[in-house]
Amino acid sequence: MRFALVLVAMSLLGYCKDETVSGHGGATATWVLRSIDGAAFPARATLTFPEEGRLAGEAPCNRYSGQQTVPYPWFSAGHIIGTKRACPDLDAETRYFRALGDMTLAEIAGDTLILSNDAGREMVFRAAE
């Protein structure tokens, strides 16, 4: 009976563990992209999970933010918005955002974040030092 009361109280107070990437170790680092599909990424791009359901970072040219609301280990980069700066790395930025949008799974192992999908695509990030 006491356990049931605790559960009811927790639900009324809005207690809910973050089931997204941020709640499973993703929020502890700024993730720096190292490779896309096994090829080294030539520009700098970062990914963070600043709070439950959110993602943000810096692509090669622009800062961005968006939603990531599916439960871990699933991944979905949605509703991404960014600044509108031009730079010589716009092609790399386009590749980054296309790949990010294709990812459906996340795996965090120590200082490595791997985003992947069922088609065999993969993005490898390392925690910034």
Side-chain angles (χ1 to χ4, degrees):
M1 179 66 146
R2 183 175 280 169
F3 181 71
L5 290 174
V6 170
L7 283 177
V8 169
M10 287 170 43
S11 11
L12 291 174
L13 294 173
Y15 178 81
C16 181
K17 182 180 182 317
D18 180 358
E19 292 296 330
T20 66
V21 175
S22 63
H24 287 269
T28 62
T30 295
W31 302 98
V32 180
L33 181 63
R34 296 295 184 216
S35 65
I36 296 177
D37 299 330
F41 192 68
R44 180 169 168 80
T46 65
L47 176 61
T48 63
F49 301 95
E51 62 188 52
E52 181 178 355
R54 303 292 306 158
L55 57 80
E58 291 187 28
C61 299
N62 293 284
R63 280 181 263 175
Y64 67 93
S65 64
Q67 294 180 348
Q68 199 305 112
T69 58
V70 296
Y72 184 84
W74 305 111
F75 179 84
S76 175
H79 304 288
I80 293 180
I81 58 170
T83 58
K84 302 284 186 192
R85 291 183 296 181
C87 79
D89 288 329
L90 279 176
D91 287 339
E93 180 161 295
T94 299
R95 284 196 320 271
Y96 174 73
F97 282 128
R98 283 186 182 152
L100 192 64
D102 286 345
M103 300 299 116
T104 58
L105 292 169
E107 177 185 352
I108 297 173
D111 69 346
T112 303
L113 166 65
I114 300 170
L115 301 180
S116 61
N117 68 19
D118 291 338
R121 299 209 62 207
E122 181 178 84
M123 299 174 82
V124 177
F125 295 81
R126 295 265 192 259
E129 297 179 6

